[in-house]
Amino acid sequence: MSRNGARPDLLVVGGGVIGLSVGREAARRGLKVLVLDRGEAGRGASWAAAGMLSPLAEVDVPGPFLDFGITSLRMYRDWVREIVEEVDAPVEYRECGKILLAFSPSDLDGLRKRKRLAERHSIPVTLLDSTGLEREEPALAPALSGGLLLEDDFRVDNRALVVALRESAHLGGVEIRTGTEVRTIQIEGDRAAGVVLADGTGISAGAVLVAAGAWSGELKGMPRPVPVRPVRGQMLSLAPTRPISTRMLEAADGYLVPRDDGRLLVGATMEEAGFREENTVDGTSRLLAVAHRIAPGLGSARVVELWSGLRPASLDGLPILGPDPDIANLYLATGHFRNGILLAPSTAASLGAAIAGDPIDPLPPEFLPGRMLAHEGSTKSS
Ligand code: FAD
Ligand code: GLY
């Protein structure tokens, strides 16, 4: 690669929020980094996301995943500030809060459980009955039974974030090659030696990081299959005739996320649809119904945009982070599923340090790639 033509210390496969964040961090720790993306870096799930920074919304049990999310959320303000200062471009990071909504007494019971979980982690939350919710959010449906106000849930414009991250990584010396598809991870003996591109070109590297999102399982040459599958999320955005809320609003079947320009994002479906990134009549209808159910005033809103993306989901729903158990200098950072935007700073800190050989708090064993050995079938990828 790179600045002086020497081989990279680290070659990152995939330039989404995860590959870019880890690559940027590794470069800050002194490594020569090359990021390869087969498309335009940052146009995968990281572009499609809603940008919620919301560790409690999709996790209702204590454990390492929730802890990692809370840690990452606490890093976000400084992490984003550094990036924004480096590139002088806004990423719309807003400490806006979220309300989890209950449409029934049983939903409200679920929120009480969530409240206890939040309190165990010293996260400030307020349970609202229907009157309290109406006072806080007068534009919402009168049928709501209440909500849980999470003041410490934030948001970021993920599309702006990946553009800024790309620029920040580049300024930090990371080489980013777009339109460059990796076909095979090259292993020599018991070490990762580099990659082979779809056009047959070989690139050698000191270490290889697989950060190819939902496509991580498609790479050839891995010592064992990477059990990550795509879970499609359809999204749309609206231009409401009147603002609904400055907060994010989330019900069991969907959510609304405001943007500073007045748009309201509506998300998202959860679908096993292979690698088909498309919006369907069913998906769009479901999203419109959720939006209307939460805020009936949205009936007059203009539909601005439809899009979809593929979440990288592992078999156990946890990220796959860290060194391969058998192959030296091969690392994985994938499987971030519904929370990759949130988990970018903590992933970058842990993996960046691990790859650079700097001391770190050990990654939770539940995230380590070695756990995949338990899921491994008899066939190996070739
Ligand atoms: P991606 O962003 O998909 O990047 C992977 C990259 O690898 C792509 O650019 C791709 O081109 C490249 N690639 C793949 N194969 C190859 C190859 N062979 N060679 C070279 N390059 C390759 N998370 C949150 O925290 N908050 C949210 O509110 C949120 N909302 C979401 C809403 C939706 C609809 C979706 C789909 C996801 C959402 N997520 C959210 C999840 C989040 O978007 C993902 O977890 C995160 O973007 C994963 O990042 P990534 O870098 O691993 O993958
Ligand atoms: N975290 C939001 C989503 O995955 O839809």
Side-chain angles (χ1 to χ4, degrees):
M1 78 143 204
S2 93
R3 282 168 293 179
N4 57 11
R7 74 172 190 166
D9 301 313
L10 173 65
L11 186 155
V12 181
V13 184
V17 73
I18 297 302
L20 290 171
S21 303
V22 179
R24 172 182 178 271
E25 182 61 30
R28 288 154 67 90
R29 291 171 182 270
L31 302 191
K32 283 178 195 303
V33 180
L34 171 62
V35 175
L36 303 180
D37 198 292
R38 67 172 172 203
E40 192 188 323
R43 290 286 294 197
S46 306
W47 178 88
M52 295 184 288
L53 309 175
S54 191
L56 265 175
E58 283 142 7
V59 183
D60 58 5
V61 288
F65 190 61
L66 182 57
D67 294 343
F68 203 56
I70 293 170
T71 302
S72 208
L73 182 68
R74 291 183 178 144
M75 296 168 75
Y76 233 91
R77 188 187 301 167
D78 289 343
W79 186 70
V80 149
R81 193 185 48 232
E82 272 179 19
I83 294 168
V84 167
E85 280 172 9
E86 280 164 16
V87 306
D88 195 22
V91 299
E92 204 175 307
Y93 167 75
R94 298 288 176 259
E95 301 194 342
C96 59
K98 173 185 267 189
I99 302 184
L100 301 179
L101 301 171
F103 277 94
S104 67
S106 87
D107 283 355
L108 206 50
D109 283 344
L111 295 186
R112 286 195 186 94
K113 190 174 154 216
R114 206 63 71 99
K115 178 172 186 281
R116 288 193 290 277
L117 182 61
E119 287 165 349
R120 276 176 63 171
H121 290 82
S122 308
I123 296 173
V125 288
T126 310
L127 194 65
L128 303 167
D129 60 13
S130 55
T131 315
L133 180 60
E134 199 180 340
R135 203 178 316 115
E136 289 287 339
E137 298 290 349
L140 302 194
L144 281 155
S145 309
L148 187 67
L149 171 57
L150 304 168
E151 295 283 11
D152 279 3
D153 271 16
F154 308 144
R155 67 178 169 89
V156 68
D157 179 341
N158 43 287
R159 294 182 183 179
L161 176 68
V162 282
V163 171
L165 258 176
R166 221 156 55 192
E167 181 61 12
S168 163
H170 170 70
L171 291 174
V174 176
E175 184 183 347
I176 300 168
R177 280 193 219 161
T178 56
T180 306
E181 180 174 349
V182 173
R183 178 70 50 84
T184 306
I185 307 298
Q186 236 181 346
I187 311 287
E188 284 174 7
D190 58 0
R191 310 181 71 76
V195 300
V196 180
L197 305 182
D199 69 4
T201 310
I203 303 180
S204 63
V208 175
L209 171 69
V210 172
W215 300 270
S216 298
E218 303 294 294
L219 292 163
K220 299 192 184 309
M222 291 293 284
R224 67 191 59 77
V226 180
V228 170
R229 70 183 196 286
V231 174
R232 184 169 70 192
Q234 300 186 44
M235 299 269 300
L236 57 84
S237 65
L238 303 175
T241 45
R242 260 181 252 117
I244 299 298
S245 171
T246 57
R247 297 185 175 113
M248 300 174 287
L249 302 164
E250 183 155 355
D253 51 356
Y255 50 77
L256 306 179
V257 180
R259 288 283 186 255
D260 287 0
D261 63 6
R263 280 175 309 135
L264 195 58
L265 312 193
V266 185
T269 62
M270 292 278 287
E271 299 168 88
E272 306 284 344
F275 288 97
R276 288 195 309 281
E277 288 179 77
E278 56 198 20
N279 289 82
T280 62
V281 170
D282 278 350
T284 307
S285 321
R286 263 156 41 208
L287 295 176
L288 292 173
V290 168
H292 201 263
R293 201 157 74 98
I294 294 176
L298 286 172
S300 57
R302 181 168 55 85
V303 177
V304 178
E305 185 189 356
L306 304 175
W307 69 94
S308 69
L310 303 176
R311 304 175 183 89
S314 68
L315 287 179
D316 55 15
L318 298 176
I320 301 171
L321 300 181
D324 184 87
D326 299 323
I327 302 299
N329 301 329
L330 176 62
Y331 296 86
L332 289 98
T334 186
H336 290 76
F337 197 29
R338 306 196 75 177
N339 285 285
I341 307 296
L342 166 68
L343 297 176
S346 51
T347 300
S350 306
L351 263 288
I355 296 168
D358 295 338
I360 44 158
D361 291 341
L363 278 157
E366 291 87 343
F367 296 173
L368 292 176
R371 78 183 193 276
M372 298 185 307
L373 293 170
H375 303 309
E376 194 178 344
S378 52
T379 42
K380 299 218 168 192
S381 58
S382 55

